[in-house]
Amino acid sequence: NRKGAYLTGGADARYQGEGGLFGSVVADSAVGSAKAVLGQEGLYTLRFGYSNIPHRLSDDGMTPFLGAGSSSLTLPAGFRAATTTAMPLATSLQSVDVGSTRTRYDAAVSFNTGSNWTHKLSFRRDVRDGTQVLGGSFFATAAQLLAPVDTTTDQFEISTQFSSRKMQASLAYQVSQFRNDNPSLTWANPFQMMQERVGPGEDGRVA
């Protein structure tokens, strides 16, 4: 859902040389991906990949909260009221984009030792960045919040495989690590509680 004019293009190049050498590069800007392969037949293969996938939910969202997309949401002075109809929404709403982008990087190498053994090492990193909609509540009142998305997932795998005419066997070990750079969200309560007379009011927090 990109606005305005933009260019798209791609590339597809392949190579086959002496001694079993080969290589290829495939890229497509329309879908934001690129792959490269290099190797020698029967000996080794190197693979590299990249992709950038947007997930757009809305480009015309509206919110009264300040700091949208950060881990702390505040409200304009004098905004809080007992009901939504009493809130100055007409003068406080601001436009926000809602959505995230997943960027993936991956690399792998496989190589043969002898005619029956194949070994492989691979690494993949997924990065999600953007915003998402969450719900926050205070007793019987609730508000929709624009929360930040900033996560990284790393996966590493090592494997070895034996293959012959009579049998096949493989052994693999995988490690996955997840990191959230915005583990919590704090927001100001837009509703004034009945017992309140003065003061900033309560804050909410989700982790």
Side-chain angles (χ1 to χ4, degrees), residues 79-101:
F79 182 88
R80 298 176 65 247
T83 63
T84 55
T85 55
M87 296 175 182
L89 294 173
T91 57
S92 301
L93 292 177
Q94 51 189 320
S95 299
V96 291
D97 293 334
V98 185
S100 61
T101 300

Side-chain angles (χ1 to χ4, degrees), residues 41-180:
E41 293 180 0
L43 293 179
Y44 68 91
T45 302
L46 299 173
R47 300 179 185 273
F48 304 93
Y50 168 85
S51 64
N52 188 272
I53 304 174
H55 181 59
R56 303 302 179 200
L57 299 177
S58 173
D59 58 3
D60 57 358
M62 305 289 287
T63 181
F65 287 98
L66 305 177
S70 70
S71 59
S72 179
L73 303 179
T74 59
L75 289 166
F79 182 88
R80 298 176 65 247
T83 63
T84 55
T85 55
M87 296 175 182
L89 294 173
T91 57
S92 301
L93 292 177
Q94 51 189 320
S95 299
V96 291
D97 293 334
V98 185
S100 61
T101 300
R102 190 200 70 187
T103 305
R104 172 173 291 180
Y105 311 88
D106 57 83
V109 55
S110 60
F111 55 95
N112 299 334
T113 54
S115 59
N116 302 111
W117 291 92
T118 301
H119 315 282
K120 182 179 179 180
L121 298 171
S122 64
F123 174 79
R124 186 175 75 187
R125 166 167 287 187
D126 287 313
V127 179
R128 288 187 64 223
D129 180 67
T131 56
Q132 63 181 347
V133 177
L134 292 180
S137 64
F138 282 90
F139 301 103
T141 61
Q144 285 192 325
L145 313 170
L146 195 62
V149 176
D150 189 1
T151 64
T152 301
T153 304
D154 291 328
Q155 293 188 35
F156 174 78
E157 183 176 353
I158 180 172
S159 64
T160 185
Q161 179 177 336
F162 175 85
S163 179
S164 67
R165 292 183 178 180
K166 295 184 178 181
M167 67 171 293
Q168 290 185 345
S170 63
L171 179 66
Y173 178 75
Q174 186 182 77
V175 176
S176 181
Q177 183 177 23
F178 175 81
R179 185 177 76 249
N180 187 357

